[in-house]
Amino acid sequence: MATPPPQHGAGPYQPYGPRQGGPHSPYGVPPQAVPYGHGHQPMPQAPYGCRVCGAQPAVRATVRGHQGMLVLMRFLRQEGPFCRDCGLATYRKMSADTLWQGWWGPLSLFITPVTVLMNLAARSRFVGLAPPAGHILPSLSPGKPLWRRPPALVFLAAAVLIALAPPLLVLLGLTAGDDEPSAGPAVGTCVRDADRLRNERLVPEACGSPLAAYLVTKERGTGDADCAAGDLISVPEKWSEGARSLCLTPVPH
């Protein structure tokens, strides 16, 4: 009996089927056409969406936070990819929390501003994205801008006060000048003794007041005579150098 000749491609080591100009395609899927002018088909970019909502476009970025706890501290981070809305929401929330939670420690005073500045790099990547599309879950709401939130406003006010404190202190020192020394009570006015001990803390008082204790009759050493008999002599300690010595006549009640 004659044996039929083997068919083309048949054999124990070669799969049976028509051969084409490209590599063999399993499962009957025809090979993809190669664009004109390219020697091979380019590898498509691996698609990925936002880690929160699945929308595209998304970008890889890391948002950081810091918490100071006197002796201890915590370093927080959220890694992308994020779409524009979810990225801005994460940036604003973690930065705002850092601005009021991050100062409570010696080292945290320096770490907190560095953390907020590092987050600006992530923010710049988020704002450059197109509006998100193709959501799987709802996107996060970005909310108010960071500098319109209460923690940021408190931080900004404190920073302004700290920056303005030195020049304000210098200005107050220049405008205040030296205090003018007290000239003491005038002759003919009534006074009372604030310390009731040495007649050295005389406080002006209306002559009709029951608190008025003395009438200033003259400056000692002026005129032809010294203080009258029964008068008290006072040299208040807070008067200027060469303070006047006054003659005080008790006011009868």
Side-chain angles (χ1 to χ4, degrees):
M1 178 182 294
T3 302
Q7 297 182 9
H8 179 71
Y13 304 107
Q14 298 181 3
Y16 177 78
R19 297 183 62 85
Q20 302 186 25
H24 175 67
S25 300
Y27 309 110
V29 179
Q32 301 297 320
V34 178
Y36 178 77
H38 295 269
H40 62 280
Q41 182 180 2
M43 181 68 68
Q45 183 179 0
Y48 59 88
C50 173
R51 61 170 291 181
V52 179
C53 66
Q56 294 184 4
V59 65
R60 293 190 179 275
T62 300
V63 183
R64 294 173 170 82
H66 181 72
Q67 294 178 349
M69 296 176 286
L70 298 181
V71 179
L72 303 177
M73 64 183 67
R74 292 180 61 191
F75 294 88
L76 310 174
R77 60 187 296 161
Q78 289 286 345
E79 297 182 354
F82 293 106
C83 67
R84 186 189 66 179
D85 290 353
C86 294
L88 287 176
T90 304
Y91 155 75
R92 292 172 179 175
K93 177 68 168 59
M94 295 189 69
S95 297
D97 290 345
T98 299
L99 285 176
W100 73 271
Q101 296 176 352
W103 303 100
W104 315 113
L107 295 178
S108 297
L109 292 174
F110 304 96
I111 297 174
T112 294
V114 173
T115 302
V116 175
L117 291 176
M118 291 176 66
N119 283 343
L120 293 178
R123 176 189 177 278
S124 65
R125 304 192 69 183
F126 298 145
V127 297
L129 294 175
H135 307 78
I136 300 176
L137 298 173
S139 299
L140 299 177
S141 174
K144 293 181 180 180
L146 177 61
W147 299 112
R148 291 176 54 190
R149 302 190 178 202
L153 294 176
V154 173
F155 167 76
L156 184 60
V160 171
L161 290 177
I162 293 174
L164 295 180
L168 284 177
L169 291 176
V170 173
L171 182 61
L172 289 176
L174 294 176
T175 56
D178 297 333
D179 293 335
E180 292 293 335
S182 175
V187 174
T189 61
C190 293
V191 296
R192 60 184 174 88
D193 187 7
D195 60 14
R196 299 182 179 180
L197 182 61
R198 299 176 56 192
N199 300 322
E200 293 183 351
R201 293 185 58 192
L202 301 178
V203 178
E205 190 70 44
C207 291
S209 171
L211 298 178
Y214 307 102
L215 173 65
V216 181
T217 55
K218 62 179 297 187
E219 294 182 19
R220 189 183 179 201
T222 61
D224 298 333
D226 207 341
C227 296
D231 285 356
L232 299 179
I233 300 173
S234 176
V235 182
E237 59 184 0
K238 294 187 177 180
W239 294 356
S240 60
E241 293 185 9
R244 300 173 300 168
S245 179
L246 300 178
C247 297
L248 306 178
T249 300
V251 176
H253 292 287

